[in-house]
């Protein structure tokens, strides 16, 4: 298994993996009326590669996971992690944790005092195990997502 920056010719394969991950996970139970959460457009990933570092996880040449980190509103001390997904057949095998650990070792994380993640309700227990908590203790959600954050002492 390798984790590397996405190449442009891998964007569509990544979009397809994200769609499968959303449709075949607990996530779908919480948002059945909101199909926009079940896909990600090529242009969305392309844009994320321009403002941050978008990584893919590969096994035997096939993309089985992804994640992105970038500056939070152009901040030099805050970063934002997003688009964390794992292929359904590879979920619950530690790959999501490896993605987060990789993102937290990225230069955007190393300079950050705080990292924010927007999370679906189904992923909150996963992120809390990794030290992320509700932003300002706020348990409300916007557009079906919760804001979580983690602070680092620099």
């Amino acid at each position: 298994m390798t984790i590397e920056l996405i190449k442009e010719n891998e964007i569509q394969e990544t979009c397809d993996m994200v769609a499968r991950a959303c449709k075949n996970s607990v996530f779908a139970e919480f948002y059945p009326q909101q199909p926009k959460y079940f896909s990600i457009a090529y242009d969305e990933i392309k844009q994320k590669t321009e403002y941050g570092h978008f990584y893919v996880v590969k096994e035997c040449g096939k993309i089985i996971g992804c994640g992105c980190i970038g500056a939070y509103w152009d901040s030099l001390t805050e970063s934002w992690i997003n688009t964390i997904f794992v292929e359904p057949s590879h979920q619950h095998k530690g790959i999501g944790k490896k993605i987060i650990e990789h993102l937290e070792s990225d230069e955007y994380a190393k300079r950050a005092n705080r990292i924010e993640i927007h999370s679906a309700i189904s992923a909150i227990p996963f992120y809390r195990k990794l030290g992320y908590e509700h932003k300002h203790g706020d348990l409300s959600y916007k557009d079906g997502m919760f804001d979580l954050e983690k602070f680092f002492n620099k």
Side-chain angles (χ1 to χ4, degrees), residues 43-105:
D43 292 342
E44 289 177 73
I45 291 180
K46 178 73 173 152
Q47 182 183 30
K48 289 177 184 202
T49 67
E50 294 167 3
Y51 76 74
H53 296 155
F54 197 106
Y55 294 93
V56 290
V57 180
K58 294 181 184 178
E59 185 177 77
C60 300
K62 182 180 176 194
I63 294 172
I64 60 167
C66 66
C68 182
I69 186 167
Y72 184 79
W73 295 104
D74 296 322
S75 173
L76 295 177
T77 61
E78 296 182 308
S79 293
W80 183 44
I81 288 177
N82 61 78
T83 322
I84 308 297
F85 291 97
V86 176
E87 180 74 45
S89 62
H90 289 74
Q91 291 176 2
H92 307 291
K93 296 180 180 179
I95 296 169
K97 182 179 178 186
K98 287 184 191 304
I99 293 169
I100 295 295
E101 289 170 347
H102 190 83
L103 295 174
E104 287 181 348
S105 71

Side-chain angles (χ1 to χ4, degrees), residues 113-149:
N113 295 321
R114 184 183 81 88
I115 296 177
E116 184 165 317
I117 293 178
H118 300 292
S119 174
I121 193 170
S122 60
I124 289 173
F126 166 75
Y127 290 124
R128 291 193 72 208
K129 283 185 203 174
L130 298 174
Y132 290 84
E133 295 296 334
H134 290 276
K135 185 176 178 181
H136 307 299
D138 183 2
L139 302 179
S140 64
Y141 62 94
K142 300 173 214 100
D143 296 325
M145 303 297 276
F146 292 82
D147 293 334
L148 305 175
E149 63 187 353

Side-chain angles (χ1 to χ4, degrees), residues 77 109-115 150-154:
T77 61
K110 287 180 180 178
R111 71 182 197 188
N113 295 321
R114 184 183 81 88
I115 296 177
K150 182 176 182 178
F151 290 91
F152 299 84
N153 294 325
K154 303 288 179 184

